[in-house]
Amino acid sequence: MSRAVLMNNYGTPPVTFVRGDGAELWDDRGRRYLDFLCGLAVTGLGHAHPAVTEAVAAQAGTLIHTSNLFANEPTAEVVETLDRLIRSGPGGDTEPGRILFQNSGAEAVEAALKLARKHQGRGRHGVVSAYGSFHGRTLAALAATGQPEKHEPFQPMPEGFRHVPFDDFGALEAALDPSVGAVVLESVQGEGGVVPASNEYLRAVRRVCDERGILLVMDEIQTGLARTGRWFGYQHAGVQPDIVTMAKALGNGVPVGAVWARPDAASAFVPGDHGSTFAGQPLALAAVRAVLAQMQAMDAPAAADRLGAALRDRLLEIDGVDSVRGRGLLLAAELSEEAKAGRSAKDVASACLDRGLVVNGVTPTALRLAPPFVVSEEQIAAGCSILAEVLEYTQ
């Protein structure tokens, strides 16, 4: 691929993938790989899933796009299913919420932040989020992201955003002055190193938000749609957010995102407040409908829980893996100093790629693993065997 005509946002790709099937990928030289990253937790049903392929092909041959000035056929079933799954955990026995479709996770966060501002009104525009968080790369989503090094090239950032240590309720509570209208959190910080929030923390945050009339926004873009062993990660804590953002696994690779909000918050948006040319188009929602149907049929949360436990056990058997953290099929393997032998986790991930395993270095010392829900236990064993060989080689 010529790099001369592409902006250098992603560096030089080490591999060109041309085909996928389930948990496997093939490059342009015919080499096979085990995909334990899923395009960053996107292809939960694996590559080229026949039901999703059929749904997209059928919709492409029928109607790809009109605009949001008109309704389309897949919408009703998708919104009813998503609303039911979002409210399916403890504390979710509330009246149905409202959904706004977007094209990506960053756009979903952007829409959620605008909705929170409009609902709370002027003077309550403040947003508290956590250090280590990642919420997207649009300006407002980036401002909510708790990684100051990512802010510097784009200063000055939008005002009203502040950050506190993750999973530290005392620090968060201290930051809640009268200007704060929303708290934005991930149930597991994905890009921050696959770090789960404790259930007690999320319950305390929910309680203080209720006490002070603050909206709790849960960013479930990486953790939603069964990835952690529940339909949404906050369900482990038995809380119900006011606003939920989702994307990634929603379309199994077809670009789509969404914002769910409880009815009183959702009613703040009126025609003209927010929109998108492509969001909610029939092609994307046909994919979402097929994805949700397949995930429910296979009980994807149970699959993620079972396979995640198997993967965790295999990882902990590897010499050079000090510990494993995360939930379901979103895990990080913390590497020992001896196993890294002076190299970073990114270097270890590169060595795994050379041997046919796709993972990534989510921190300098940890690998992220997020296989699809259709991965077999034999493939888990094979992937962990590759990692063990790489770590043995680096010692």
Side-chain angles (χ1 to χ4, degrees), residues 22 31 34 50 62-63 72 107 142 149 181 222-223 247 255 271 291 303 312 316 332 337:
R31 188 178 182 194
L34 286 170
T62 305
L63 181 67
N72 65 62
E107 290 172 81
L142 183 61
E149 68 278 8
Q222 188 162 159
T223 50
V291 167
R312 182 188 292 268
L316 288 171
E337 287 302 318

Side-chain angles (χ1 to χ4, degrees), residues 321-351:
V321 173
D322 273 353
S323 61
V324 179
R325 59 180 177 268
R327 284 185 169 145
L329 276 174
L330 180 60
L331 299 176
E334 191 71 29
L335 306 179
S336 69
E337 287 302 318
E338 295 78 13
K340 296 197 302 298
R343 303 195 304 176
S344 70
K346 181 178 179 180
D347 296 326
V348 174
S350 180

Side-chain angles (χ1 to χ4, degrees), residues 100-119 125 127 134-145 157-159 161 182 184 217-221 243-247 257-260 269 273-276:
L100 176 67
F101 290 106
Q102 298 289 279
N103 302 298
S104 67
E107 290 172 81
V109 170
E110 194 81 13
L113 293 170
K114 286 178 66 177
L115 179 63
R117 279 199 175 197
K118 183 136 193 271
H119 173 74
H125 64 283
V127 173
F134 183 83
H135 299 293
R137 296 185 186 273
T138 60
L139 274 176
L142 183 61
T145 292
M157 299 300 291
E159 66 174 20
F161 295 86
V184 182
V217 183
M218 291 302 302
D219 180 340
E220 292 281 338
I221 290 162
I243 299 175
V244 180
T245 63
M246 66 207 91
V259 181
W260 176 94
F269 270 172
D273 279 343
H274 192 70
S276 170

Side-chain angles (χ1 to χ4, degrees), residues 17-73:
F17 290 122
V18 297
R19 183 167 66 91
D21 182 16
E24 299 179 336
L25 287 164
W26 283 263
D27 68 16
D28 55 354
R29 298 179 181 180
R31 188 178 182 194
R32 183 180 69 91
Y33 300 76
L34 286 170
D35 184 3
F36 278 26
L37 192 56
C38 274
L40 300 176
V42 169
T43 53
L45 294 176
H47 299 287
H49 191 286
V52 180
T53 299
E54 181 181 352
V56 171
Q59 191 65 52
T62 305
L63 181 67
I64 290 180
H65 181 78
T66 53
S67 82
N68 285 310
L69 297 174
F70 309 99
N72 65 62
E73 187 269 333

Side-chain angles (χ1 to χ4, degrees), residues 61-291:
T62 305
L63 181 67
I64 290 180
H65 181 78
T66 53
S67 82
N68 285 310
L69 297 174
F70 309 99
N72 65 62
E73 187 269 333
T75 300
E77 183 178 349
V78 170
V79 297
E80 289 171 5
T81 302
L82 271 179
D83 176 69
R84 173 171 51 81
L85 296 178
I86 286 167
R87 297 185 300 112
S88 64
D93 53 346
T94 59
E95 63 178 307
R98 304 291 182 268
I99 288 173
L100 176 67
F101 290 106
Q102 298 289 279
N103 302 298
S104 67
E107 290 172 81
V109 170
E110 194 81 13
L113 293 170
K114 286 178 66 177
L115 179 63
R117 279 199 175 197
K118 183 136 193 271
H119 173 74
Q120 296 289 38
R122 296 193 179 191
R124 296 204 70 191
H125 64 283
V127 173
V128 173
S129 54
Y131 285 116
S133 63
F134 183 83
H135 299 293
R137 296 185 186 273
T138 60
L139 274 176
L142 183 61
T145 292
Q147 300 183 42
E149 68 278 8
K150 287 183 169 61
H151 299 167
E152 285 310 308
F154 307 104
Q155 296 285 8
M157 299 300 291
E159 66 174 20
F161 295 86
R162 66 190 71 169
H163 305 92
V164 296
F166 186 55
D167 212 28
D168 182 337
F169 176 69
L172 184 142
E173 186 178 32
L176 300 180
D177 66 28
S179 73
V180 174
V183 170
V184 182
L185 294 171
E186 297 161 281
S187 54
V188 179
Q189 287 193 337
E191 303 304 313
V194 190
V195 181
S198 67
N199 292 339
E200 295 75 18
Y201 173 70
L202 291 181
R203 291 170 191 148
V205 174
R206 175 70 280 179
R207 184 174 63 251
V208 76
C209 284
D210 286 339
E211 291 169 355
R212 304 193 188 190
I214 295 169
L215 294 174
L216 175 57
V217 183
M218 291 302 302
D219 180 340
E220 292 281 338
I221 290 162
Q222 188 162 159
T223 50
L225 284 306
R227 176 55 60 181
T228 69
R230 299 288 188 276
W231 282 112
F232 292 88
Y234 58 79
Q235 292 172 342
H236 290 274
V239 300
Q240 183 64 34
D242 303 302
I243 299 175
V244 180
T245 63
M246 66 207 91
K248 288 193 182 290
L250 191 57
N252 206 58
V254 175
V256 59
V259 181
W260 176 94
R262 71 183 201 216
D264 62 320
S267 66
F269 270 172
V270 297
D273 279 343
H274 192 70
S276 170
T277 298
F278 296 108
Q281 52 140 270
L283 185 69
L285 292 196
V288 174
R289 179 167 60 182
V291 167

